[in-house]
Amino acid sequence: MPVIARDAAPLRAQAHLFLHEKIIRGDYRPSARIKERELIEKLGVSGTTTREAIRQLENERLITVEPQVGPTVRIMSATEANEICLIRATLEKLAVSLFIKNQSSAGLKQLQNTFNKLITSFGGQKPGAIIKQKNKFFKIIYYYAGNQVLSCLIDSLIGQSWRWRSIGLNHPNRDPKRQQRSLDNLSHLYEAILVKDVPRAQKIIDIEVQDAQNEILRLIKVDAGEQ
C-alpha cells in the first residue's frame, strides 16, 4: 500500500510533507542521500511528483542537489546557525508582541491548551512529542499575530529552525540540562503573554534563542571533532 493517500491533498504536497517531516525529525541525517527511486516505490507516486517535492525542499534550504550525486540533506554550518538564530529571534519577538497586542480569546485558549500539552510532553521525556508541542506553541503565536507578511517570512524559516530544534533534542551529546532550561523559558514566556508584558516576553525569547544557539554551536563542534 502506498504511503500517500489519493483522496487528500495534492500528491506533491503530501510527498513534500512526508520528506519535510523526516528531515526535521532527523530521520535523514545531514549529508544523507535521498534516493528518488526508493521514494517513488515507497510513496507510490510518480518521479515527477517526487522531483517537485525535492525541488521545494531545495528552495527551503533543507536539501542540496548536486550533479552526479543527487539530492542530499544539507549539512548545517556554524555560520548558518548564527544567521538563522538572529532572524528567528527578531521574527519571534515581533510575533509575540503582535500576539499580545491583538490578543483574542480564541488565540489564548489555543495557546493554553497547547502549553498544557507542552508541559506534559516534557514530563514524558520523549523528544518527538516535545518537538511537536513546541512547534505547535509557536505556530499559534505566529498565526494569531495577525500579520500575513510576517507569517510568510516565518514560514520560509520555520523548516530550518525546527530542524535545529530536533537536532538539539535528539543528539546523543546534547546537554541534559538544556531541556529543563527550555521548559523554564517557555513557562516564563507563557506567563508574560498572559499578563501582556511585551518587554519581558521579548527578553525571554532572546534568552531562549541564545541558549538554543549556544547548544547548536557546541554540537556542531562536537560533530566536527568526530569526523
Side-chain angles (χ1 to χ4, degrees):
M1 292 290 291
V3 172
I4 300 295
R6 300 286 168 174
D7 56 351
L11 296 180
R12 181 192 58 75
Q14 294 181 70
H16 166 264
L17 180 62
F18 175 83
L19 287 169
H20 183 276
E21 290 185 345
K22 289 184 74 67
I23 293 173
I24 296 303
R25 288 197 307 263
D27 295 346
Y28 288 131
R29 305 299 297 174
S31 77
R33 288 188 61 189
I34 298 177
K35 299 178 181 180
E36 292 185 35
R37 181 170 297 178
E38 290 182 4
L39 287 174
I40 291 169
E41 295 175 356
K42 186 170 186 176
L43 301 179
V45 297
S46 68
T48 298
T49 297
T50 302
R51 285 187 289 274
E52 288 175 347
I54 288 173
R55 191 175 302 114
Q56 185 174 349
L57 291 166
E58 184 180 19
N59 291 336
E60 295 170 0
R61 297 177 60 80
L62 291 176
I63 67 170
T64 57
V65 180
E66 301 178 14
Q68 311 304 319
V69 177
T72 60
V73 178
R74 291 187 76 246
I75 298 174
M76 298 172 291
S77 67
T79 298
E80 184 179 15
N82 287 326
E83 292 174 349
I84 289 174
C85 286
L86 173 63
I87 298 172
R88 174 189 162 190
T90 301
L91 295 182
E92 285 187 0
K93 286 191 291 185
L94 177 56
V96 77
S97 67
L98 290 173
F99 180 93
I100 291 173
K101 178 182 177 181
N102 302 322
Q103 203 170 98
S104 67
S105 57
L108 283 174
K109 184 176 181 180
Q110 288 194 38
L111 194 68
Q112 180 183 26
N113 290 337
T114 303
F115 179 74
N116 291 337
K117 292 178 181 178
L118 178 61
I119 296 296
T120 301
S121 70
F122 271 93
Q125 298 290 312
K126 294 182 178 180
I130 295 172
I131 293 166
K132 180 179 179 180
Q133 294 307 322
K134 285 181 76 171
N135 292 345
K136 282 187 175 182
F137 180 81
F138 280 101
K139 283 190 75 172
I140 290 169
I141 293 175
Y142 303 153
Y143 179 80
Y144 284 97
N147 187 301
Q148 292 186 355
V149 174
L150 174 62
S151 180
C152 289
L153 290 172
I154 289 174
D155 282 345
S156 67
L157 178 73
I158 210 166
Q160 298 175 67
S161 179
W162 287 2
R163 187 179 174 206
W164 288 113
R165 186 173 291 159
S166 178
I167 289 175
L169 278 165
N170 287 295
H171 200 285
N173 293 306
R174 67 185 183 277
D175 179 356
K177 296 181 180 179
R178 162 63 187 149
Q179 190 166 302
Q180 184 59 49
R181 293 198 304 270
S182 181
L183 175 58
D184 292 342
N185 289 334
L186 293 176
S187 297
H188 295 323
L189 175 60
Y190 177 66
E191 292 167 2
I193 290 173
L194 291 182
V195 298
K196 301 184 179 181
D197 190 338
V198 172
R200 182 168 178 245
Q202 292 182 328
K203 182 179 180 180
I204 294 165
I205 285 175
D206 275 332
I207 293 171
E208 169 64 9
V209 173
Q210 184 63 62
D211 195 13
Q213 181 178 0
N214 292 341
E215 174 68 353
I216 287 297
L217 293 176
R218 185 185 69 81
L219 293 176
I220 287 174
K221 290 181 180 179
V222 168
D223 288 342
E226 291 176 350
Q227 293 175 354

